[in-house]
Amino acid sequence: GMVLFFFNLGGRDLWEPDETRYAVVAREMVQSGDWILPHFNREIYAEKPPLFFWLVNLSTFFLGENNELSNRLPSALAGLMTLFITFLFGERLFNLRVGFLSALVLGTCILFPQLSRWMMLDSLFTFFLLLSLFYFYLGYEKEGSRRKYYYLASLFMGLGVLTKGPIGYLPLLILLLFAFFQKDVKKFWNRDLLWGCLLSLILVLIWWLPACWIGGKEYIYWLLFK
C-alpha cells in the first residue's frame, strides 16, 4: 500500500487543469492570510470549501517546502487510509477474508490509486464518506455505543461537507435506505442520530457563516444557486 500511493509521488509536475488550480488556491490562502474564503487569482473561489486546501498547507508546513510532494500528500494519505477502512468495514460486515479481498480489489482498481496520487479532492472526500458510513453502521449494530458512533459518523460527515459540499450528507441517505430494506428504520432514526446531525451542522456552520459574512451576497448566491 505504501508503495502504491507514495512511490515517486512528487516525481512529476502538477497537471492541468485541476492540480495547478488547487495548488494556486492553497498558495493564495497562505499569501493572503484569508483562511476562510479560498481565492483563485485573487478572485473568490466559491466552487469548493476550504478543508482540502487547509490540509495541503498543513502538509507544506510539516514538509517545509511547497512542492509536488507536499501538495499531493493529503490525497495519498487519504487513499491509503481508505484502503484500511475498507478492510475494517468488509471484516465487520462479513469476515476477515472479505475485508482483505475488498481492500485488495479497491487498491488494484486503476482509477482509485491514480486519483489518490493527484492533488484532487476525491480521495479525501471518499475517505470521510466511508468513515461516516462505517461509524453509522457500527452505531446501528451496537445499541449500547450508538451515541458515540453516531457522533463520530456525524463528525466525519461534516468534514466531508467541508471538503466537497452538501454531497457530504450522502451517508444519511445510504443508511436510511439500508435501514428501510432491513425493515428497521426506527432502529436507525433516533435521538442520537438527530443530535449527531446537529453536531455535523454546527461544524459546517462554524465555517459557512463567517464565509458568507466575508463573501457577501454574491458569494451566498453562488453557494445556494450555482
Side-chain angles (χ1 to χ4, degrees):
M2 296 289 289
V3 174
L4 188 65
F5 290 99
F6 297 107
F7 176 72
N8 200 32
L9 186 62
R12 61 170 176 81
D13 294 337
L14 298 176
W15 285 359
E16 295 277 0
D18 291 327
E19 284 194 304
T20 52
R21 179 173 63 250
Y22 293 156
V24 171
V25 172
R27 186 181 67 229
E28 289 193 12
M29 186 174 280
V30 176
Q31 292 174 343
S32 67
D34 188 347
W35 297 87
I36 301 297
L37 281 184
H39 287 75
F40 179 62
N41 290 334
R42 300 182 181 180
E43 298 290 335
I44 292 177
Y45 183 70
E47 292 185 22
K48 297 292 187 296
L51 180 57
F52 178 75
F53 309 112
W54 292 344
L55 294 178
V56 168
N57 286 317
L58 186 64
S59 170
T60 300
F61 173 78
F62 279 111
L63 293 182
E65 188 175 354
N66 188 344
N67 54 25
E68 286 81 0
L69 175 61
S70 62
N71 280 285
R72 295 190 180 115
L73 187 59
S75 296
L77 285 171
L80 180 63
M81 291 188 290
T82 299
L83 281 190
F84 180 63
I85 299 301
T86 300
F87 166 75
L88 292 180
F89 209 167
E91 189 272 337
R92 185 74 197 180
L93 283 169
F94 300 100
N95 53 54
L96 188 66
R97 180 172 178 269
V98 171
F100 174 77
L101 290 176
S102 299
L104 181 64
V105 168
L106 180 61
T108 52
C109 288
I110 295 176
L111 191 59
F112 178 73
Q114 184 179 13
L115 286 176
S116 298
R117 292 174 56 85
W118 292 349
M119 187 189 182
M120 296 181 67
L121 290 78
D122 302 80
S123 177
L124 183 65
F125 175 72
T126 301
F127 173 61
F128 287 138
L129 184 137
L130 188 60
L131 266 179
S132 298
L133 287 174
F134 179 59
Y135 281 115
F136 270 136
Y137 178 76
L138 290 180
Y140 179 84
E141 288 293 306
K142 295 185 176 183
E143 186 173 352
S145 303
R146 181 165 297 159
R147 176 174 297 178
K148 175 182 70 176
Y149 287 130
Y150 274 7
Y151 284 7
L152 283 171
S154 299
L155 170 66
F156 290 117
M157 193 165 61
L159 293 176
V161 175
L162 290 176
T163 302
K164 209 167 185 179
I167 195 174
Y169 286 115
L170 184 61
L172 279 178
L173 176 60
I174 295 174
L175 263 294
L176 183 60
L177 289 173
F178 171 78
F180 175 78
F181 285 113
Q182 295 289 317
K183 298 181 180 179
D184 199 359
V185 175
K186 290 183 178 180
K187 184 178 178 181
F188 170 67
W189 195 263
N190 52 56
R191 184 178 298 176
D192 291 332
L193 177 64
L194 294 177
W195 281 112
C197 290
L198 180 61
L199 170 67
S200 174
L201 185 61
I202 291 173
L203 179 64
V204 173
L205 289 177
I206 288 174
W207 162 75
W208 192 75
L209 290 177
C212 290
W213 177 265
I214 298 170
K217 293 181 179 179
E218 184 177 347
Y219 182 70
I220 297 173
Y221 177 79
W222 176 276
L223 289 179
L224 294 179
F225 301 107
K226 289 189 178 182

